[in-house]
Amino acid sequence: MLEEALEHLVKGIVDHPRDVTVDLVGGRRGKTLEVRVHPDDLGKVIGRGGRTAKALRTVMAGVGGRGLRVDVVDTDGR
Amino acid sequence: MSVPHSPATDTAATAEATSGAVLTPATGVPDGPADLPDTDEAGADSTLEPADEVVVAGGRSGGTELLVREGDVAGDYLERLLDILDVDGDIDLDVEGDRASVAIVGGELDDLVGSDGAVLEALQELTRLAVAQSTGVRSRLMLDIGGYRARRRASLTAMAAEAAERVAGSRQAERLAPMNPFERKVVHDVIAGVAGVRSESEGEEPNRRVVVLPER
């Protein structure tokens, strides 16, 4: 549910929605949602000064609990 | 981010917002959709900045039509989110002045408001980006969830009226607590309606605050 919610939120704000994937990974520091987007969309998902990424984190922490992290994975150049 | 603001920025923007300026579509204007999130003006707090006038001035007629479309896109974006989260809530769409207005009502919506409306502000920002992505025009839509903004507006209006009264009597300027752009606009609008006082904003986000001053 949380992966799907974040995937939906991100798909709506990028140029390449089909390239958006979200994985929920568990670690010793709690759950993390890993977001991957088309390299050209990285800037959109992070936003100016990181403000879009921050908004995504705020929303996901609100619906998924404070311990839930959101990580925008930089796949550029791989 | 540190975009320098002049002290009177919000006051000027208030005048703009209340002057009945109509946000018109800027499709075809040189700085197109692809640039939106990266421009200096992008973002929620630019709502009240004069930079908006550039968009307004660059637009054409048919503003209401665009605002209705903004509401539709926003409604779809938020409705799908509610579905995924299995949250009950209806979406009300409206056009208020020169902005699309979107409200999620009913249900258990506290998580979507968050403490001090933080989640609401974040969702509004994402919704504006989703709208801009779809329409190609930067959006200034207002989102409310569970009546949070309506309640906040009521308490801020009362607080601003009291501050205006004190300043009109004492002739001493008063600095109010830091507020977000929405909250500052509510206060500026109240102060503008009281004789003998005026208001400015000072400081940088997130500590930007309204100062109520006696009129010279």
Side-chain angles (χ1 to χ4, degrees):
Chain A
M1 178 182 90
L2 294 172
E3 301 100 299
E4 201 185 343
L6 181 57
E7 188 177 301
H8 168 69
L9 289 174
V10 173
K11 279 185 170 176
I13 63 170
V14 297
D15 291 329
H16 307 279
R18 286 182 185 178
D19 293 350
V20 176
T21 60
V22 176
D23 297 298
L24 181 64
V25 297
R28 50 195 157 70
R29 293 175 60 197
K31 290 179 183 171
T32 301
L33 289 163
E34 290 185 350
V35 187
R36 287 176 177 79
V37 299
H38 191 284
D40 294 348
D41 282 329
L42 259 183
K44 286 201 159 180
V45 175
I46 293 166
R48 195 179 172 75
R51 92 183 262 162
T52 304
K54 186 177 172 219
L56 290 167
R57 289 189 180 103
T58 301
V59 171
M60 294 316 296
V63 300
R66 289 231 168 265
L68 183 64
R69 289 153 47 92
V70 173
D71 192 3
V72 179
V73 181
D74 186 353
T75 53
D76 203 358
R78 279 185 208 172
Chain B
M1 66 184 249
S2 57
V3 181
H5 301 299
S6 67
T9 295
D10 284 345
T11 314
T14 302
E16 177 220 330
T18 51
S19 69
V22 176
L23 181 67
T24 47
T27 27
V29 167
D31 57 334
D35 302 320
L36 287 176
D38 297 318
T39 58
D40 282 340
E41 301 88 356
D45 86 320
S46 63
T47 314
L48 298 169
E49 311 300 347
D52 280 338
E53 287 179 310
V54 175
V55 174
V56 172
R60 299 180 210 147
S61 59
T64 305
E65 201 176 304
L66 172 69
L67 295 180
V68 169
R69 202 169 134 222
E70 281 192 21
D72 287 343
V73 174
D76 288 349
Y77 187 65
L78 293 166
E79 189 128 48
R80 178 75 188 119
L81 179 67
L82 295 182
D83 280 353
I84 294 169
L85 296 174
D86 201 19
V87 171
D88 285 331
D90 291 323
I91 300 195
D92 289 347
L93 303 178
D94 204 352
V95 171
E96 284 177 19
D98 59 351
R99 298 185 198 214
S101 163
V102 180
I104 305 177
V105 297
E108 294 282 320
L109 300 170
D110 289 352
D111 287 349
L112 292 178
V113 175
S115 61
D116 295 329
V119 177
L120 165 60
E121 293 294 340
L123 257 186
Q124 174 176 280
E125 181 156 359
L126 294 172
T127 305
R128 285 177 171 182
L129 292 175
V131 168
Q133 182 69 29
S134 175
T135 64
V137 184
R138 192 155 57 87
S139 171
R140 301 164 68 227
L141 75 83
M142 292 300 292
L143 174 65
D144 195 4
I145 299 177
Y148 175 82
R149 277 197 207 282
R151 287 193 301 278
R152 187 81 183 117
R153 185 190 302 274
S155 67
L156 282 169
T157 298
M159 184 274 290
E162 285 167 20
E165 198 174 317
R166 280 195 304 272
V167 172
S170 71
R171 310 291 296 162
Q172 299 284 313
E174 250 188 64
R175 267 176 188 73
L176 306 182
M179 294 175 194
N180 69 33
F182 157 74
E183 296 170 328
R184 294 197 304 271
K185 173 160 168 34
V186 171
V187 173
H188 284 309
D189 285 351
V190 171
I191 303 297
V194 178
V197 292
R198 65 192 176 89
S199 59
E200 291 176 355
S201 290
E202 64 170 36
E204 295 292 326
E205 301 282 7
N207 292 313
R208 199 159 164 79
R209 55 179 71 202
V210 176
V211 185
V212 184
L213 305 119
E215 200 122 56
R216 284 169 290 234

